Amino acid sequence: MKKHKVSYQLKVFNMNPKPVLKARREIPYEIRLASQLVLDDLCFTWNKARLEEEINQSIDEDNKEAFKALSKTYNSYIWES
């Protein structure tokens, strides 16, 4: 297992003459990666839903220029390899 990194921070308060030593552990790589993947997925689905709403609104308003522009952007969200 990987060793956890610990960083120390020395703080001096005016009211207390003794310095306070505070330890903090680094977040493990696996947790950082998982949280980044969850955030990326949330942003992707939110942006896709927003684009779908704007496309539907442009269809309702019969705005062909906006529909074409939004459709080009939306194609990158539905493209699969």
Side-chain angles (χ1 to χ4, degrees):
M1 219 170 158
K2 295 180 184 176
K3 293 183 180 180
H4 293 283
K5 295 180 182 177
V6 180
S7 61
Y8 295 95
Q9 186 176 19
L10 189 62
K11 289 187 178 181
V12 179
F13 295 102
N14 293 335
M15 295 173 20
N16 190 358
K18 296 181 183 179
V20 176
L21 193 62
K22 184 178 179 181
R24 180 177 64 89
R25 288 192 181 258
E26 292 290 324
I27 298 173
Y29 174 76
E30 294 83 6
I31 294 175
R32 284 188 287 148
L33 179 62
S35 61
Q36 185 65 46
L37 290 173
V38 167
L39 287 173
D40 288 345
D41 184 54
L42 286 172
C43 290
F44 176 83
T45 54
W46 186 84
N47 286 333
K48 185 177 176 183
R50 184 182 54 83
L51 273 173
E52 286 175 351
E53 289 176 8
E54 290 180 4
I55 287 173
N56 290 336
Q57 184 179 3
S58 67
I59 291 172
D60 292 340
E61 294 173 354
D62 200 27
N63 189 350
K64 293 181 182 179
E65 293 80 21
F67 175 77
K68 287 180 183 179
L70 292 169
S71 295
K72 286 182 182 178
T73 306
Y74 186 73
N75 282 338
S76 63
Y77 284 91
I78 59 172
W79 181 78
E80 295 180 11
S81 56

